[in-house]
């Protein structure tokens, strides 16, 4: 393997957010001051200090794993359309195409609805039969949702390395960094990196206990700011070696720098 680093370019971007159904809408709404923060139905069962969240509205009520996959699939399709790359093209790259996914949700996607069932709370939003997970002597491993990683790598046609990153608020940055490093060091020609998080009881309860949630839609640059507003969303980025890229794009390294302790 060559130690010579190669230039990495972004060839496609996709996103789904509370204020944008795709990356283009998200960008335009952000620069136009359109917010996706609203009163959220997710807050109704618990006495949180706020009723506001950045919640993505779907055609039918979805939460946890069902919503994770739904918004992820939409962001993934948006990226492929932007990149003008097909699954068949990616499949031809074999192990030279890799996938990196950032999320803090994977440990709770199946556990949280089961806890809601156990304690008599509303669990509307799942699209599978929870019966298979209701076991008398189950372990935490039974609620591991890591197969969601392979759900997306299979959609993309990626057969190379599949990496998961969970480092709280730094997860997305590290997932991109790992993908860039895989290409720079000659271990991949293409990398798809993604971040997906949905509103989680665990995260909401944690920030609520810290009294970090704003009672009104957050206003971080206001002198009277109160705290944060939790949100959800999905983003996918296609990265390629510059000399093998399918279309001309801006060099990522001119915009984002990563430093790794080798």
């Amino acid at each position: 393997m060559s130690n010579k680093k190669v230039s990495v370019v972004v060839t496609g971007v996709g996103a789904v957010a509370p204020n944008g159904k795709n990356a283009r809408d998200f960008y335009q709404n952000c620069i136009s001051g359109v917010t996706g923060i609203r009163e959220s139905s997710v807050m109704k069962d618990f006495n949180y200090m706020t009723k506001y969240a950045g919640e993505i509205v779907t055609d039918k009520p979805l939460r946890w794993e069902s919503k994770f996959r739904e918004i992820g699939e939409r962001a993934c399709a948006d990226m492929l359309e932007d990149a003008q790359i097909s699954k068949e093209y990616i499949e031809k790259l074999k192990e030279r195409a890799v996938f990196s996914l950032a999320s803090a949700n994977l440990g709770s996607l199946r556990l949280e609805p089961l806890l809601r069932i156990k304690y008599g709370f509303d669990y509307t939003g799942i699209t599978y039969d929870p019966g298979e997970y209701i076991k008398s002597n189950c372990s935490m491993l039974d609620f591991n949702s890591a197969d969601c990683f392979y759900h997306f790598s299979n959609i993309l046609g990626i057969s190379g390395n599949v990496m998961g990153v969970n480092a709280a608020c730094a997860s997305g940055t590290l997932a991109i960094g790992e993908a860039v490093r895989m290409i720079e060091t000659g271990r991949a020609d293409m990398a798809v990196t993604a971040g997906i998080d949905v509103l989680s009881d665990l995260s909401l309860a944690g920030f609520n206990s810290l009294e970090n949630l704003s009672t009104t839609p957050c206003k971080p640059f206001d002198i009277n700011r109160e705290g944060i507003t939790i949100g959800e969303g999905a983003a996918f980025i296609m990265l390629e070696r510059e000399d093998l890229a399918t279309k001309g794009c801006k060099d990522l390294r001119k915009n984002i720098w990563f430093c790794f302790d080798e």
Side-chain angles (χ1 to χ4, degrees):
M1 182 179 69
S2 173
N3 291 323
K4 184 180 178 180
K5 289 185 177 180
V6 298
S7 186
V8 181
V9 292
V10 178
T11 53
V13 177
V16 175
N19 64 333
K21 61 183 180 180
N22 54 45
R24 185 178 296 275
D25 282 351
F26 174 61
Y27 173 75
Q28 290 297 332
N29 284 334
C30 284
I31 64 176
S32 301
V34 177
T35 182
I37 297 174
R38 56 178 58 86
E39 291 188 21
S40 170
S41 59
V42 173
M43 307 297 193
K44 65 183 180 182
D45 284 330
F46 303 103
N47 189 29
Y48 292 128
M49 59 189 296
T50 185
K51 55 186 177 182
Y52 293 98
E55 183 177 8
I56 294 174
V57 177
T58 52
D59 293 336
K60 59 182 178 180
L62 294 176
R63 282 206 65 191
W64 302 294
E65 184 177 358
S66 301
K67 193 166 197 178
F68 188 96
R69 294 187 183 229
E70 166 75 14
I71 65 175
E73 289 170 6
R74 287 164 50 189
C76 181
D78 188 33
M79 176 203 68
L80 289 173
E81 181 179 357
D82 184 49
Q84 299 176 25
I85 290 177
S86 67
K87 177 180 180 179
E88 290 72 24
Y89 175 85
I90 298 173
E91 286 176 331
K92 291 178 182 179
L93 296 175
K94 299 182 179 179
E95 72 279 358
R96 300 295 296 172
V98 301
F99 181 55
S100 175
L101 173 61
S103 179
N105 278 153
L106 290 181
S108 61
L109 289 176
R110 294 174 187 160
L111 178 60
E112 287 185 7
L114 266 293
L115 290 174
R116 281 178 167 249
I117 292 171
K118 180 177 179 180
Y119 292 105
F121 289 101
D122 181 18
Y123 59 94
T124 301
I126 59 175
T127 55
Y128 56 85
D129 180 5
E132 61 178 303
Y133 298 109
I134 300 175
K135 305 173 184 178
S136 56
N137 295 308
C138 55
S139 95
M140 285 293 291
L141 293 177
D142 291 308
F143 302 102
N144 187 339
S145 310
D147 58 310
C148 287
F149 289 106
Y150 297 99
H151 172 73
F152 291 106
S153 64
N154 289 338
I155 287 175
L156 289 160
I158 288 175
S159 55
N161 287 356
V162 176
M163 300 166 282
V165 179
N166 182 357
C169 297
S171 300
T173 302
L174 289 175
I176 296 172
E178 287 296 333
V180 168
R181 180 163 65 170
M182 290 290 286
I183 298 176
E184 281 188 334
T185 56
R187 287 175 284 180
D189 297 325
M190 173 188 287
V192 174
T193 182
I196 312 172
D197 267 332
V198 294
L199 291 172
S200 160
D201 294 339
L202 178 63
S203 295
L204 288 168
F207 284 109
N208 189 74
S209 68
L210 293 171
E211 299 183 358
N212 281 346
L213 298 177
S214 177
T215 58
T216 60
C218 67
K219 41 186 185 292
F221 303 108
D222 193 290
I223 193 172
N224 296 314
R225 59 189 179 276
E226 296 181 296
I228 64 174
T229 299
I230 299 294
E232 57 188 2
F236 277 66
I237 301 174
M238 176 77 72
L239 304 171
E240 296 182 75
R241 280 181 51 168
E242 184 175 27
D243 58 333
L244 299 177
T246 54
K247 65 179 184 178
C249 292
K250 187 181 296 184
D251 189 339
L252 175 68
R253 300 298 290 195
K254 292 179 181 176
N255 298 281
I256 306 174
W257 291 87
F258 300 99
C259 180
F260 296 97
D261 182 0
E262 300 287 357

